[in-house]
């Protein structure tokens, strides 16, 4: 059964869920986690568990299990929903298989959960923006910094599914993606779990629509995003003020998202811009 992307790349569902792929996903998933009790328990009957998972995936019998909720401070209080090891191996399998289809479409200036696109790369890019916009510190530069309100809880399942379907048209692959998308909801047809590996990829797929709008429609030259936080740098404060309503409208009408009402700020660079520590 083939899963072709609309840009000519090719992915097969059977290859994605093959025994070799399932074992490869396990080995990738377990890195740094082997001392955890749930991972140790799964590994006690490893081959039996992985072959059973493979069989469920191949036959279409796979169903996502329940989540265990817990709180973390990162640095603000967040509720994480932890999936069972079996399901997290599937998350790894899916991300390893489909991420390349989407990675090539992402803009250069999105920095969350991508290879070589961590906080250091983001900070370096922001410094480059500031240097260019200020003409090497010869003029005042402003930064418009925004945050999307309750992003993970607000992701619309139908919109996300359609964005995935733009690149993948195989029914079996899409059915597995739908199973993961709908495995937990914060409201009817809303929300993806903050803790899932798949949610990190889904977030970039979802917000790529906004990235494209910012760079190609609004032509924001110095725009960067880190997950659900983003920044635009310019020497023109009025220009930045003029971006707020178009951004708000696009997020609301296209993605069913809202800017955080108290986290839309414009500051000059000398006041400091604490972008990456939200």
């Amino acid at each position: 059964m083939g899963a072709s992307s609309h840009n000519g790349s090719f992915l097969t569902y059977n290859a994605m869920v093959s025994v070799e792929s399932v074992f490869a996903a396990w080995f990738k998933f377990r890195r740094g986690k082997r001392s955890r009790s749930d991972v140790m328990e799964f590994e006690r009957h490893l081959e039996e568990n992985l072959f059973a998972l493979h069989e469920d995936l191949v036959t279409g019998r796979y169903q996502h299990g329940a989540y265990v909720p817990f709180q973390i401070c990162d640095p603000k209080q967040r509720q994480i929903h932890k999936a069972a090891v079996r399901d997290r191996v599937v998350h790894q399998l899916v991300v390893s298989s489909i991420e390349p289809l989407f990675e090539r479409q992402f803009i250069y200036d999105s920095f969350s959960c991508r290879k070589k696109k961590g906080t250091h790369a983001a900070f370096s890019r922001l410094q480059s923006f500031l240097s260019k916009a200020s003409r090497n510190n010869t003029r005042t530069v402003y930064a418009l910094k925004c945050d999307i309100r309750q992003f993970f809880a607000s992701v619309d399942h139908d919109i996300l599914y359609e964005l995935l379907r733009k690149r993948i048209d195989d029914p079996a692959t899409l059915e597995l993606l739908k199973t993961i998308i709908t495995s937990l909801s914060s409201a009817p047809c809303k929300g993806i779990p903050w803790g899932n590996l798949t949610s990190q990829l889904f977030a970039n797929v979802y917000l790529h629509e906004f990235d494209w709008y910012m760079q190609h429609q609004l032509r924001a030259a110095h725009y960067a995003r880190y997950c659900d936080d983003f920044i635009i740098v310019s020497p023109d404060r009025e220009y930045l003020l003029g971006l707020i309503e178009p951004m708000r409208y696009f997020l609301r009408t296209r993605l069913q998202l809202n800017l955080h009402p108290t986290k839309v700020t414009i500051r000059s660079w000398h006041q400091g811009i604490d972008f990456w520590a939200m």
Side-chain angles (χ1 to χ4, degrees):
M1 189 177 294
S4 60
S5 82
H6 294 289
N7 70 346
S9 297
F10 192 74
L11 173 76
T12 65
Y13 179 77
N14 284 342
M16 182 169 77
V17 302
S18 70
V19 170
E20 293 80 7
S21 295
V22 170
F23 272 80
W26 159 257
F27 286 118
K28 200 166 184 181
F29 159 77
R30 77 172 187 179
R31 288 176 195 161
K33 304 184 185 77
R34 296 187 72 184
S35 62
R36 297 179 186 176
S37 58
D38 55 349
V39 177
M40 290 170 68
E41 179 62 28
F42 189 89
E43 198 164 15
R44 281 180 61 197
H45 305 285
L46 182 63
E47 290 199 2
E48 181 182 336
N49 285 331
L50 292 181
F51 278 112
L53 177 57
H54 161 71
E55 183 68 18
D56 283 352
L57 288 165
V58 167
T59 59
R61 290 199 307 264
Y62 170 75
Q63 293 186 323
H64 202 288
Y67 289 85
V68 176
F70 62 97
Q71 300 285 333
I72 65 164
C73 289
D74 182 42
K76 56 190 174 186
Q77 188 94 348
R78 293 183 188 270
Q79 184 169 58
I80 303 292
H81 289 87
K82 184 180 179 182
V85 170
R86 186 175 198 264
D87 298 314
R88 284 184 283 155
V89 173
V90 174
H91 301 169
Q92 182 66 68
L93 182 76
V94 165
V95 169
S96 296
S97 299
I98 73 168
E99 188 173 41
L101 297 177
F102 294 94
E103 177 62 31
R104 63 175 62 96
Q105 77 172 355
F106 294 152
I107 68 165
Y108 182 85
D109 295 312
S110 73
F111 289 94
S112 178
C113 305
R114 298 173 64 196
K115 288 179 183 176
K116 299 181 180 178
K117 294 282 186 176
T119 52
H120 291 296
F123 182 74
S124 176
R125 186 64 166 163
L126 178 57
Q127 293 283 21
S128 171
F129 285 171
L130 292 163
S131 177
K132 288 176 183 175
S134 69
R135 293 180 181 162
N136 291 322
N137 299 316
T138 62
R139 61 180 178 179
T140 302
V141 171
Y142 300 91
L144 169 61
K145 192 177 81 167
C146 303
D147 178 282
I148 295 172
R149 187 172 182 271
Q150 295 185 331
F151 169 69
F152 283 93
S154 302
V155 169
D156 182 275
H157 291 177
D158 292 336
I159 293 172
L160 174 58
Y161 181 78
E162 287 305 312
L163 292 173
L164 292 166
R165 205 164 68 87
K166 281 184 178 181
R167 312 289 287 185
I168 299 169
D169 58 15
D170 170 62
T173 303
L174 289 169
E175 191 60 36
L176 179 57
L177 292 171
K178 185 180 286 187
T179 296
I180 295 169
I181 292 168
T182 58
S183 61
L184 186 74
S185 298
S186 56
C189 296
K190 293 277 187 182
I192 53 178
W194 195 83
N196 279 8
L197 181 64
T198 46
S199 295
Q200 297 170 6
L201 174 59
F202 292 163
N204 280 331
V205 170
Y206 204 82
L207 288 173
H208 171 71
E209 300 299 296
F210 182 66
D211 295 339
W212 193 93
Y213 173 73
M214 291 302 298
Q215 288 200 339
H216 296 276
Q217 296 293 112
L218 295 187
R219 299 191 178 279
H222 299 134
Y223 161 86
R225 179 178 60 80
Y226 194 93
C227 195
D228 54 351
D229 304 310
F230 57 93
I231 194 165
I232 307 101
V233 173
S234 173
D236 186 344
R237 192 174 188 277
E238 293 305 310
Y239 163 75
L240 294 176
L241 277 170
L243 293 177
I244 296 172
E245 282 312 309
M247 292 190 313
R248 197 190 304 276
Y249 181 79
F250 180 90
L251 286 167
R252 186 175 65 247
T253 59
R254 178 70 184 88
L255 298 175
Q256 302 289 303
L257 299 173
N258 293 294
L259 291 178
H260 197 294
T262 63
K263 293 185 179 178
V264 176
T265 61
I266 296 181
R267 302 180 70 178
S268 63
W269 173 234
H270 74 265
Q271 291 176 285
I273 304 170
D274 187 20
F275 180 37
W276 313 112
M278 295 295 184

